[in-house]
Amino acid sequence: MEAEPAQTIFQLASHLLQYPDGKWREALKDCRSLIAEIDEEPIARVLSLFLNAAEQAGPEELMERYVQTFDFNRKTNLYLTCGQYGDQRQRGNALLQLKQLYTRVGLMMSGHELPDYLPLMLEFAAVAPLDAARSALSPYRTQVESIRDELVKMDNPYAWVLDAVLMAMDVAGMQPVQEGGHGS
């Protein structure tokens, strides 16, 4: 798989990791169509498993699960710098670097999300040149893995979405950046 199919997976995962309101649910049919076009069977399989679970859950049940999973659980928070740096000063620097990267590539942020929000980062990776997508996601791969591991422990279907993200990151050459890989 080359960059373009990985970008499709990033776009799909970006949507699936957003709050499951009515518009989100209406788009599931389109998501299923996109999954059917994915050549990488393991990625298509885990995304299909997630869609099956999402479609079987009632709307309120899914919204409640989302809130409990991502809004009230520190270990599964989708703001990646928060998990990596907590409230340390480095978090502000990391947020600034992400915002500057998005601006250089032409992504104008709406202002209501922080630049480290995983669905936003995936949306960026879906449209940005591959080297810029790598610059955005690679430093946070370990955090994505940590969130996925927590979701697996919780037997939470969102783990399948992060499995797909990690597989697409593998194919796109997005490996973790070593601690100390850049100056502090």
Side-chain angles (χ1 to χ4, degrees), residues 3-68:
E4 188 176 311
Q7 289 176 309
T8 299
I9 294 158
F10 294 146
Q11 186 67 52
L12 186 57
S14 172
H15 174 74
L16 295 176
L17 288 171
Q18 293 180 36
Y19 184 73
D21 59 11
K23 269 179 78 175
W24 183 92
R25 218 172 239 295
E26 289 172 14
L28 291 183
K29 184 182 277 186
D30 293 334
C31 292
R32 196 160 295 279
S33 295
L34 283 173
I35 291 169
E37 296 174 14
I38 296 172
D39 290 332
E40 297 288 320
E41 191 279 329
I43 296 173
R45 183 175 43 76
V46 294
L47 289 171
S48 291
L49 287 170
F50 174 77
L51 280 190
N52 293 342
E55 290 169 344
Q56 290 171 5
E60 290 79 24
E61 176 188 347
L62 195 59
M63 288 186 282
E64 176 68 22
R65 175 173 283 198
Y66 184 92
V67 168
Q68 291 301 318

Side-chain angles (χ1 to χ4, degrees), residues 16-17 50 65-71 73-78 118 143-166:
L16 295 176
L17 288 171
F50 174 77
R65 175 173 283 198
Y66 184 92
V67 168
Q68 291 301 318
T69 300
F70 299 120
D71 294 344
N73 188 329
R74 201 178 96 254
K75 292 181 178 180
T76 55
N77 183 319
L78 293 177
L118 182 55
Q143 185 60 28
V144 173
E145 291 169 349
S146 295
I147 295 168
R148 190 266 328 265
D149 292 347
E150 284 299 318
L151 293 171
V152 167
K153 289 179 196 173
M154 298 163 55
D155 196 27
N156 188 306
Y158 281 101
W160 290 317
V161 178
L162 292 185
D163 282 335
V165 168
L166 290 166

